[in-house]
Amino acid sequence: MWNQWNRMSAAVYIKAVLLAQNAGKSLRELKEDQRGLSGVVVAVLLILVAVLAVVLLWDQLKVWIENMWKTITDKSNLG
């Protein structure tokens, strides 16, 4: 049984090393390819704009929700 575990752990290690080498190769190719960089930059900027829009909208929405919640709880305390 230990022999089987040893073979399995060695196989997993080899597979992980091969995956890391392939990932490194892909990243080097992306880094050297000037055509793909502009698309990556645009994607990152769009994500950044979306996150900032959500943050700004959440601040406004938070104030409105707090006011509504206060109105609801004040009315429920009347009776």
Side-chain angles (χ1 to χ4, degrees):
M1 179 159 173
W2 286 108
N3 191 19
Q4 186 178 13
W5 281 103
N6 286 337
R7 282 186 293 167
M8 187 174 66
S9 65
V12 168
Y13 175 76
I14 290 170
K15 185 68 172 176
V17 168
L18 290 174
L19 286 172
Q21 287 176 349
N22 288 339
K25 181 181 172 187
S26 298
L27 288 175
R28 275 192 305 277
E29 288 174 359
L30 178 64
K31 183 180 173 185
E32 293 171 0
D33 184 16
Q34 295 295 321
R35 295 174 299 134
L37 287 179
S38 63
V40 172
V41 170
V42 169
V44 169
L45 289 175
L46 286 174
I47 292 170
L48 180 64
V49 168
V51 168
L52 289 174
V54 167
V55 168
L56 292 174
L57 288 175
W58 179 250
D59 285 340
Q60 296 299 319
L61 188 60
K62 182 179 174 185
V63 171
W64 181 77
I65 290 173
E66 287 174 351
N67 288 338
M68 293 300 290
W69 183 252
K70 184 174 178 169
T71 302
I72 292 169
T73 55
D74 287 344
K75 287 183 179 180
S76 67
N77 288 337
L78 289 177

